[in-house]
C-alpha cells in the first residue's frame, strides 16, 4: 500500500434523475459544507425546493450563490441547531413560505475528539445536543405537515465510527449509536402515516473538514487497506444514496440503516 493521498475527483458525480423528487420541499441540516453541501447540490439538481440550515454563514451563502440558477434555487437559513427555539422558528418560517416539508435530512453533526478525563457534564450535554437532540426535534417539527399530506421521508445520519470502535470519539459514537435507535422508533411510530424513516451510515468520507483535521497519508493508507474497495468515499457517493432513499424508488424502505462505506471493516 502506497502512502499517498488520493486527489479529489475532477468532476462531480452525475446523479440518476428521480422524477419523484422534482418539486419536493427538502430541508437539509448542516447543508453549508461537507456532505451537506453535496446533498444540497444533488437535491437542487433534481428540481427539488431545498432549504438548508447551518451556522457556517460564509460557506452557505457561497453555496446559495453558486446554485442561484438551479430550477428552484436553494435557500440558506442561519440556524444554530443547539437552540431549539431557533430550530422551531426556522421550520415555522419554511412552513409559512413553502408549506409542508416532504423530505427532512438530519445531516448536521460535529465529531470533535476528546479525552475521558476532560469530559464534564456540560460537555456531555453539548455533544448530545449537537449530534443527536436536533435530529429528534427537526423530525418533530416536520411531522404534522407530513401527516397531513400522508407521506414524507426522514433520513437520519449515523456513522460507521461506533461500529468500528474508533478512539477518542466516545460521545460522538454514543450519539451516533442512538440515532439508529431513533430511526427505528420514528419509523415504527410514523409508518402508519406514510412517513418513511431511514438511517444513512457513511464510512470515511473525504470532506474538507475530514481532510483538514484528521487525514494524513498514513491515515489514508490505513483506511484504504481496511476497505473492501480501493477508493475513497466522496460526499457525492453519500448524496447518491440519499437521493435514492428519498425518492419513490425506495417506497418500501423504512426503519433500516444503509451503509455507504466502500466496505470498511476494522479500524
Ligand atoms: N465525513 C465523514 O467521514 C463521516 C463519517 C461518518 C458519518 N458522517 C456523518 O455525516 C454527516 C455529515 O458529516 P460531514 O463530514 O459533512 O460534517 P462536516 O463537519 O463537514 O459538516 C457538518 C455541517 O453541519 C454544520 N453544523 C454543525 N453544528 C451545527 C449547529 N449547531 N447548527 C447548525 N449547523 C451545524 C456545520 O457548520 C457543517 O456545515 C454528519 O452527521 C456526520 O456525523 C460523516
Amino acid at each position: 500500500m502506497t502512502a499517498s493521498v488520493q486527489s479529489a475527483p475532477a468532476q462531480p458525480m452525475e446523479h440518476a434523475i428521480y422524477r419523484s423528487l422534482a418539486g419536493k420541499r427538502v430541508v437539509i441540516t448542516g447543508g453549508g459544507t461537507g456532505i451537506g453541501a453535496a446533498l444540497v447540490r444533488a437535491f437542487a439538481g433534481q428540481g427539488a425546493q431545498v432549504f438548508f440550515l447551518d451556522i457556517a454563514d460564509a460557506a452557505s451563502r457561497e453555496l446559495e450563490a453558486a446554485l442561484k440558477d438551479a430550477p428552484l434555487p436553494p435557500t440558506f437559513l442561519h440556524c444554530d441547531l443547539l437552540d431549539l427555539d431557533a430550530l422551531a422558528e426556522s421550520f415555522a418560517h419554511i412552513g409559512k413560505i413553502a408549506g409542508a416539508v416532504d423530505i427532512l435530512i438530519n445531516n448536521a453533526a460535529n465529531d470533535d475528539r476528546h479525552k475521558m478525563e476532560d469530559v464534564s457534564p456540560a460537555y456531555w450535554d453539548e455533544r448530545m445536543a449537537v449530534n443527536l437532540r436536533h435530529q429528534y426535534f427537526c423530525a418533530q417539527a416536520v411531522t404534522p405537515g407530513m401527516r397531513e399530506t400522508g407521506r414524507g421521508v426522514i433520513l437520519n445520519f449515523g456513522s460507521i465510527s461506533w461500529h468500528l470502535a474508533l478512539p477518542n470519539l466516545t460521545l460522538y459514537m454514543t450519539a451516533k449509536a442512538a440515532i439508529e435507535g431513533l430511526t427505528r422508533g420514528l419509523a415504527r411510530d410514523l409508518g402508519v402515516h406514510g412517513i418513511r424513516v431511514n438511517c444513512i451510515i457513511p464510512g470515511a468520507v473525504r470532506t474538507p473538514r475530514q481532510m483538514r483535521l484528521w487525514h494524513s497519508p498514513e491515515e489514508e493508507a490505513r483506511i484504504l487497506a481496511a476497505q473492501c474497495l480501493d477508493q475513497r468515499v466522496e460526499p457525492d457517493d453519500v448524496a447518491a444514496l440519499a437521493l435514492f432513499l428519498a425518492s419513490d424508488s425506495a417506497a418500501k424502505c423504512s426503519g433500516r440503516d444503509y451503509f455507504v462505506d466502500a466496505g470498511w471493516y476494522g479500524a
Side-chain angles (χ1 to χ4, degrees):
M1 179 65 59
T2 52
S4 66
V5 177
Q6 280 185 3
S7 56
Q11 296 293 329
M13 179 186 283
E14 195 181 318
H15 291 298
I17 297 295
Y18 296 94
R19 275 182 293 174
S20 59
L21 292 176
K24 287 280 159 58
R25 290 151 295 197
V26 183
V27 176
I28 299 170
T29 68
T33 65
I35 294 169
L39 293 168
V40 170
R41 278 193 215 96
F43 278 89
Q46 303 283 327
Q49 184 178 6
V50 176
F51 296 87
F52 62 106
L53 313 182
D54 210 304
I55 45 175
D57 292 340
S60 300
R61 295 255 175 251
E62 215 173 286
L63 181 61
E64 200 181 36
L67 295 172
K68 67 176 180 0
D69 296 327
L72 295 170
T75 304
F76 163 59
L77 298 172
H78 175 94
C79 176
D80 184 349
L81 296 161
L82 295 178
D83 179 345
L84 296 182
D85 291 334
L87 182 158
E89 278 165 28
S90 296
F91 279 93
H93 177 69
I94 292 166
K96 209 176 288 170
I97 59 176
V101 172
D102 299 295
I103 297 162
L104 166 67
I105 307 190
N106 274 323
N107 163 77
N110 182 294
D111 68 346
D112 282 355
R113 272 57 171 168
H114 56 81
K115 292 205 181 87
M116 192 178 194
E117 57 272 27
D118 296 334
V119 173
S120 63
Y123 185 66
W124 167 279
D125 287 346
E126 193 264 346
R127 290 293 92 190
M128 294 306 133
V130 77
N131 285 309
L132 171 64
R133 186 177 68 177
H134 59 84
Q135 293 208 4
Y136 184 86
F137 287 98
C138 289
Q140 189 188 56
V142 297
T143 298
M146 289 182 176
R147 285 180 64 160
E148 253 172 54
T149 55
R151 60 160 203 262
V153 176
I154 299 173
L155 299 178
N156 299 327
F157 267 74
S159 168
I160 198 168
S161 53
W162 72 272
H163 295 271
L164 299 175
L166 298 184
N168 303 319
L169 264 178
T170 298
L171 301 193
Y172 174 81
M173 294 196 297
T174 300
K176 289 296 181 180
I179 287 163
E180 293 186 30
L182 173 73
T183 299
R184 279 163 188 61
L186 291 178
R188 172 62 73 191
D189 289 346
L190 302 180
V192 69
H193 304 294
I195 302 168
R196 300 189 290 107
V197 187
N198 286 299
C199 186
I200 290 180
I201 305 186
V205 185
R206 218 156 44 149
T207 59
R209 174 180 158 89
Q210 295 299 313
M211 297 306 285
R212 191 175 69 247
L213 293 181
W214 321 120
H215 286 174
S216 59
E218 295 70 33
E219 176 69 1
E220 181 95 353
R222 199 180 59 77
I223 291 167
L224 287 173
Q227 289 181 179
C228 298
L229 300 176
D230 189 26
Q231 282 189 325
R232 294 299 310 278
V233 181
E234 304 293 340
D236 264 342
D237 294 311
V238 184
L241 176 60
L243 290 177
F244 167 72
L245 286 173
S247 77
D248 288 355
S249 297
K252 302 295 153 51
C253 299
S254 195
R256 293 293 175 194
D257 311 314
Y258 294 87
F259 287 71
V260 50
D261 66 345
W264 191 11
Y265 290 93

